Amino acid sequence: MQKIWKILLWVGVIGMLAGLVLYSITGLWRWYSVTTEIVGLVLVIGTIIANFRTVVQALGRRSTKYGISMVIGGLFVLGILAAVNFFFYRNNYRSDWTQQKTFSLSDQTTKILKNLGKDVQVYAFWNDNDNARSQIQELFVEYNNISPRFQYEFLDVDKNADLAQQVYEIEQYGTIVFKTETKEERWEPAPQFGGARPPQEEDITNTLIKVLRDEQKTVYFITGHGEVDLEDAQSRDGYGVAKTALEKQFYKVSSLDLMSMDAVPQDASAVVIAGADKPYLAHETAALTRYLKAGGGVVVLLDPAPKPDFRAFLTPFDITPDNDIVVDPSLENRLFGGNPGTPMVRQYGEHAITKDFPYATIFHMTRSLQVSGSATALAISGGSAWGETDLANLQQGVSFGENDIPGPLNLAAVTNVPSDSTGGKAGRLVVVGDSDFATNIQFNTQGNGNFFTNIVSWLAQDDDLISVSSKQMENRPLNMTAGDLRIVLYVIILFGLLIMGQGVRVYLKRRR
Amino acid sequence: MKNTWTIFRRELNAYFVSPMAYVILVFFFALAAVFFYLFLASFLQNQQLIQMQAQQGGRFQPVNVNLMLIRGLLLNLSVISLFMIPMITMRSFSEDKHNGTMELLLTSPLTNWQIILGKYFAALTLYATMIGTTLLFMVMLFFYGDPELLPILSGYLGLLLFGAALVGIGMFISSLTENQLVSALVTFVVMLVLWLVGALGSFNSTNWSQQLLQYLSTIEHLDDFVKGVFDTRHVVYYLSAAFLGLFLTYQSVESTRWRG
C-alpha cells in the first residue's frame, strides 16, 4: 500500500474516533460530530476500495489469519466474561462479616425493599466535599443492593443550583428528595453545628415508606377533659415533640372534641387519649367502644389517681388499671437512671410493638395494670417494684405494705378487640399506666419516643413503620500508652531491618 | 502441573536470589509502616480525646479500631500496591525477551499455559509475601486491643484478589515489550486508569453508564472487602480481570510463535 493511502487510512480511523468522542461529549449527534464521522468513514472505505487487491492479499496471509482468529477469540472470551459478570452482578451473594452486622440493613428495611412495588428515584442534595456524604452513599449502596428499583443520585447544590432551586426548591443543604412516578417526599436534616446531620437508616426507610404510601392517615388526640396540649412543644408537659415525631412518619395529627360528637370520625386511623384529668362521659366511651369493635385503634395513656382510671371502659377488654402508683427503689433502677417514682422498663412482652425493641423506657409516676383473657402485658417493671396503694400518705415515705401489689408489674398492656361483625377487622387497644413518658421532656429519653411511635404505628395498622433501631458503633479501643507506641515503632523498624538484612545478604552472596 | 511447578520455582528463585524482591518488600513495608504508624497515632489521639470528653460528663462515644484504623490502613495498602505491582510484573516476560531466553522457553516441551501460570503464581506469591509483611501490624493490634478478626480476614482476602487481578494485567503488558521500564510504566498507567475509571463520571449515582464505570474500577470492589462485607460480585470481578490478563498474555505469547 502506498504511503499516502496509509496516511489517509489513519486519518479516517482518527476521524471516526473523533466523531464518537464529540458525540459522547454533547450526548447529541450535532452537525460537526456527524460530519467528522462521515468523513472518517468515507476515507476508511475509500482506502479499502482503492487498495482492494492488497487488502485481499493481506487477508490471505497466515499471520493475518492468526491475527483475525486471535481478535475473534479475544472478543469471544471478553463476551463470556461480560456475561458471567453481569449474571453475578444480578445474582450475588452478600454477607456482612462484622459481628454487629454494621453494614447490613435491618430486617424491616430489607422486607420493605424486597417488596418494593414501584421505582423510587432518590436525589440527595449533598455537596461533594461534605464528609457525611460517603456515609449516606454507603447506606444507599446497601439499599440499591437489595432492590435495584431503589435508584439514587447525588447532586451538588452549588454545581446544580438551577435544578436544586427551580425544580426541587431546595432550601437547605443535605435535603434528600424521594420520588416515585406519582409522589414526592423529602427528608431534611435538622440544623446542627458543623454541617447537617446525615440521615440514619431509620430516616431513609421511613421517608421511603412515606413516598410509597398512597394515603395520609389521621391520628386524633381527644381533648376537652384536661388532656395534654398537642401544640405545646416548649414546656415540659406538652406533647408538641410527640406530634412532630408522628408528622415525620407522615401522619396527620389532629385534636378531636368527642364530647360534641356521636362517633369517632371515619378517617381516624388511631385515637389517643393522653393524660385526661376528668372521666369521659358515657356517650364518649360508647363511641370509642363502637370504634374499637369496628376495627379502630385506641391508646389510653393513664396516670395515677386522682386522674381517672377508665376502669368502666377498659375492664370489658380484659385490662384493669390498679389504683396505685408504681415504686421501684432498687439499686439497678437507680443505676440505669431511674428513681423510685420513675421505674425503668427493660422487659417487654412478645408483641409487634416491642419486637426486637432494644431500648429501655422510663415511666414517671405510673399506675400498674392487671391483664386477663386475651390481653397481654407490653411493658413490665423490675421484680423489686411494687404498686403502692396508700396514696393518701405518700408524703410520709413509702414502703411495701400488705395491701400493696407486688412486682413485677405491668406498666403497659395490649389487646385485640374482636369485631362485632363477622369477618370484620379486629380493633387494637393499648393501655399505658403513664402519660408523662411521651411529654416533651421525656420523649427523647431512652426509648420512650420509639415506644410511643411504635404504639401509634401499630394502632394505625402500619406495622412496617415500627421504628428501626439505629446501630451504635461497637467499642473496640486500644489499650496503649505512649511507651507502647514507641515499642511498636521499634518492632516495626527491627522487622524492616530484618528484611533489608536478608536482601543485603543475598546481594553480597551473588557478588561473590 | 509438574512443569508449571518447575517454572514457578524457577521464577520465585529468580525473584529471591536477586535483591529485587527485597527492595520491593522493604519499600512496601516502609511505606505501609509509615501509614500504620500515622493511623495508629491519630487513632490513639482520637481515643484519648473521646475519653476525656466522656470523663467531663460528655456523651460516651465508642471508638472502633476496625472501622477507624484497619479499614483505612488496608485501603492505603492497595494504593501502595499500585506502585509495587508494576515492579513485580515488569520482569516476568520482558526479561526473558530481553535476554533471549524466551525462545528457549517457547521451544521447550512446555505449553504456553504452563509457562504463563508458573510465572503468574510466582509473581502473585511475591505480592502475597509483600502484603503478608503487614500482618505484623495486625498482630500488634491484637496484642493491644480486641479487633474483630473476620473483617480483617476479608480485607486481606480482598487485597489478595485485587493483586491477583492486577498481576494478571501486569503480566500481559510485560509480555508485549522487552523493555522492563516501559513495561512497568505502562502497567502503572493502566492500573491508574482502572483505579480512577469509577470517578470519570460522577461516581455517585445508580445511572447505568456511571454504574458500569464504577464496576470497572478496581478500587470500588475492594471497599466492601475492607469493610468486612463479602460479595460474590467482587470475587467474580477480580477473578475475571485476572483471567482476562492471563488470556491476553497467552494470546500475546502465542503470537510470538507465529509472528516469529
Side-chain angles (χ1 to χ4, degrees):
Chain A
M1 204 189 282
Q2 282 176 344
K3 202 175 176 185
I4 184 76
W5 285 117
K6 279 187 181 170
I7 293 170
L8 285 177
L9 181 69
W10 278 111
V11 171
V13 170
I14 291 168
M16 282 171 73
L17 285 174
L20 286 175
V21 170
L22 287 173
Y23 164 73
S24 76
I25 291 170
T26 56
L28 290 168
W29 282 110
R30 300 214 184 251
W31 67 267
Y32 44 85
S33 46
V34 174
T35 313
T36 322
E37 194 67 31
I38 290 173
V39 170
L41 200 65
V42 167
L43 283 176
V44 170
I45 293 172
T47 311
I48 292 171
I49 292 171
N51 298 279
F52 192 69
R53 190 173 291 174
T54 324
V55 172
V56 170
Q57 273 173 358
L59 283 175
R61 255 185 253 139
R62 197 168 70 109
S63 59
T64 314
K65 281 182 184 168
Y66 272 123
I68 289 173
S69 76
M70 203 174 107
V71 170
I72 292 172
L75 288 176
F76 182 68
V77 167
L78 204 62
I80 288 176
L81 285 179
V84 167
N85 276 263
F86 185 72
F87 175 80
F88 278 98
Y89 187 77
R90 285 287 163 90
N91 305 283
N92 64 322
Y93 165 75
R94 197 172 167 84
S95 160
D96 186 347
W97 289 4
T98 57
Q99 218 163 49
Q100 279 205 321
K101 304 287 168 223
T102 314
F103 300 101
S104 302
L105 299 175
S106 66
D107 291 346
Q108 183 208 351
T109 303
T110 309
K111 199 174 94 188
I112 291 163
L113 287 168
K114 282 192 172 158
N115 299 324
L116 208 57
K118 42 184 134 179
D119 293 336
V120 179
Q121 177 68 47
V122 176
Y123 296 103
F125 289 90
W126 282 75
N127 280 4
D128 292 345
N129 53 3
D130 195 316
N131 290 334
R133 222 201 69 163
S134 59
Q135 284 178 41
I136 311 167
Q137 191 174 353
E138 262 180 14
L139 266 176
F140 282 172
V141 167
E142 295 301 329
Y143 276 71
N144 178 255
N145 271 329
I146 296 175
S147 174
R149 300 193 86 162
F150 181 96
Q151 300 276 313
Y152 63 86
E153 191 164 349
F154 279 87
L155 296 164
D156 192 309
V157 182
D158 299 330
K159 290 181 192 162
N160 302 279
D162 288 350
L163 184 75
Q165 277 161 17
Q166 285 163 24
V167 182
Y168 291 104
E169 294 169 350
I170 301 297
E171 290 170 356
Q172 201 181 342
Y173 286 104
T175 301
I176 303 179
V177 178
F178 289 63
K179 273 187 84 170
T180 63
E181 216 175 337
T182 52
K183 212 171 149 194
E184 185 181 302
E185 274 297 328
R186 55 184 63 206
W187 178 86
E188 282 171 347
Q192 72 170 25
F193 179 72
R197 182 187 74 89
Q200 306 296 306
E201 181 191 341
E202 183 175 16
D203 302 311
I204 297 173
T205 300
N206 280 333
T207 319
L208 182 65
I209 292 168
K210 283 186 212 170
V211 79
L212 293 170
R213 206 191 258 172
D214 293 323
E215 46 150 2
Q216 190 178 25
K217 295 188 174 180
T218 307
V219 176
Y220 284 109
F221 278 67
I222 297 183
T223 55
H225 315 81
E227 287 91 345
V228 293
D229 186 354
L230 197 54
E231 305 304 328
D232 175 10
Q234 300 302 322
S235 74
R236 295 167 62 95
D237 303 326
Y239 255 50
V241 173
K243 184 189 176 196
T244 310
L246 290 177
E247 283 172 343
K248 276 189 181 171
Q249 295 200 343
F250 198 53
Y251 290 111
K252 188 178 158 203
V253 182
S254 306
S255 50
L256 174 69
D257 183 7
L258 197 57
M259 245 185 283
S260 57
M261 301 174 99
D262 295 337
V264 174
Q266 288 283 328
D267 65 343
S269 291
V271 172
V272 183
I273 299 167
D277 281 335
K278 299 277 178 283
Y280 279 27
L281 299 174
H283 84 271
E284 290 177 291
T285 50
L288 287 167
T289 304
R290 282 198 305 279
Y291 170 66
L292 272 170
K293 288 185 174 172
V298 175
V299 55
V300 186
L301 309 179
L302 301 164
D303 278 309
K307 294 207 173 183
D309 58 17
F310 284 82
R311 262 191 205 187
F313 170 53
L314 297 173
T315 307
F317 303 121
D318 300 330
I319 299 173
T320 309
D322 291 315
N323 194 17
D324 64 352
I325 181 164
V326 178
V327 179
D328 185 356
S330 71
L331 183 63
E332 195 191 3
N333 186 39
R334 270 185 258 184
L335 273 178
F336 284 97
N339 66 53
T342 309
M344 176 178 277
V345 167
R346 289 189 294 139
Q347 189 191 342
Y348 300 97
E350 287 280 320
H351 195 271
I353 294 172
T354 47
K355 186 172 178 287
D356 299 328
F357 194 72
Y359 311 108
T361 39
I362 288 179
F363 299 89
H364 179 62
M365 299 290 168
T366 175
R367 279 178 193 270
S368 65
L369 309 165
Q370 299 297 328
V371 295
S372 61
S374 62
T376 53
L378 199 58
I380 302 148
S381 77
S384 49
W386 75 85
E388 179 64 46
T389 50
D390 187 10
L391 299 176
N393 298 311
L394 280 178
Q395 298 302 325
Q396 277 101 51
V398 289
S399 61
F400 184 66
E402 62 181 277
N403 292 327
D404 294 337
I405 307 161
L409 300 163
N410 306 322
L411 306 190
V414 59
T415 188
N416 285 316
V417 178
S419 169
D420 50 6
S421 61
T422 45
K425 201 166 62 173
R428 296 177 168 199
L429 173 65
V430 176
V431 183
V432 184
D434 174 41
S435 73
D436 302 316
F437 80 98
T439 52
N440 295 337
I441 187 85
Q442 302 268 359
F443 194 84
N444 290 317
T445 306
Q446 304 282 349
N448 283 16
N450 297 71
F451 187 62
F452 178 73
T453 50
N454 278 9
I455 289 173
V456 175
S457 300
W458 181 73
L459 292 176
Q461 322 261 344
D462 279 331
D463 296 19
D464 56 357
L465 259 183
I466 306 291
S467 73
V468 178
S469 53
S470 303
K471 282 194 188 90
Q472 176 95 7
M473 186 165 71
E474 201 180 3
N475 193 33
R476 285 182 182 271
L478 288 176
N479 302 314
M480 279 179 101
T481 59
D484 293 329
L485 196 60
R486 270 194 293 278
I487 292 174
V488 165
L489 183 65
Y490 297 149
V491 171
I492 291 173
I493 292 173
L494 192 70
F495 192 75
L497 287 175
L498 274 176
I499 306 174
M500 205 190 285
Q502 179 66 10
V504 171
R505 201 179 68 87
V506 168
Y507 176 70
L508 291 176
K509 205 172 150 188
R510 260 176 72 111
R511 279 193 68 182
R512 257 187 258 135
Chain B
M1 188 67 197
K2 200 180 155 201
N3 291 339
T4 310
W5 177 245
T6 311
I7 294 285
F8 170 76
R9 279 182 47 193
R10 169 188 173 262
E11 288 293 314
L12 208 58
N13 266 333
Y15 276 126
F16 282 95
V17 294
S18 76
M20 192 61 200
Y22 299 98
V23 170
I24 292 172
L25 290 180
V26 169
F27 246 123
F28 178 82
F29 183 76
L31 285 172
V34 169
F35 275 110
F36 172 68
Y37 194 76
L38 290 177
F39 272 68
L40 180 64
S42 143
F43 175 83
L44 290 174
Q45 207 176 2
N46 259 331
Q47 179 178 296
Q48 202 180 10
L49 202 72
I50 288 168
Q51 277 169 353
M52 269 166 56
Q53 279 171 354
Q55 277 165 4
Q56 286 164 4
R59 202 164 65 90
F60 170 74
Q61 277 184 319
V63 286
N64 189 305
V65 67
N66 283 89
L67 295 176
M68 295 163 73
L69 194 163
I70 297 171
R71 185 178 168 187
L73 177 69
L74 293 183
L75 273 179
N76 273 288
L77 292 187
S78 69
V79 181
I80 310 171
S81 302
L82 212 62
F83 293 90
M84 296 297 152
I85 291 173
M87 290 167 75
I88 295 176
T89 58
M90 67 181 186
R91 58 165 297 281
S92 49
F93 281 98
S94 304
E95 193 177 52
D96 279 327
K97 282 188 161 188
H98 183 72
N99 295 343
T101 42
M102 194 67 200
E103 283 78 10
L104 284 177
L105 273 176
L106 291 178
T107 49
S108 69
L110 299 166
T111 65
N112 283 353
W113 276 119
Q114 284 168 345
I115 299 168
I116 292 164
L117 288 178
K119 282 174 176 287
Y120 174 73
F121 283 116
L124 193 58
T125 306
L126 176 57
Y127 169 80
T129 313
M130 184 181 91
I131 293 292
T133 57
T134 62
L135 286 173
L136 176 76
F137 308 148
M138 302 303 143
V139 171
M140 288 194 283
L141 291 180
F142 272 100
F143 188 76
Y144 288 109
D146 179 30
E148 264 189 77
L149 180 64
L150 279 177
I152 296 177
L153 289 182
S154 83
Y156 275 93
L157 174 67
L159 280 175
L160 199 65
L161 287 166
F162 172 79
L166 294 189
V167 167
I169 293 164
M171 290 253 303
F172 165 59
I173 294 162
S174 167
S175 73
L176 296 175
T177 171
E178 61 179 51
N179 187 325
Q180 292 195 28
L181 192 67
V182 171
S183 162
L185 275 175
V186 175
T187 306
F188 178 69
V189 170
V190 170
M191 284 177 188
L192 206 63
V193 169
L194 280 175
W195 180 280
L196 298 172
V197 70
L200 271 182
S202 60
F203 56 96
N204 44 28
S205 122
T206 40
N207 175 306
W208 77 266
S209 60
Q210 282 167 13
Q211 262 187 328
L212 180 68
L213 288 177
Q214 246 181 306
Y215 188 79
L216 290 176
S217 165
T218 46
I219 186 66
E220 295 293 330
H221 294 272
L222 189 63
D223 196 39
D224 269 345
F225 281 110
V226 299
K227 268 164 40 178
V229 177
F230 175 84
D231 194 324
T232 47
R233 264 189 258 195
H234 308 317
V235 179
V236 169
Y237 166 83
Y238 282 133
L239 292 182
S240 304
F243 179 75
L244 186 66
L246 292 178
F247 177 77
L248 292 175
T249 313
Y250 175 85
Q251 298 275 59
S252 163
V253 173
E254 182 70 18
S255 75
T256 53
R257 285 188 195 271
W258 51 261
R259 276 191 296 145

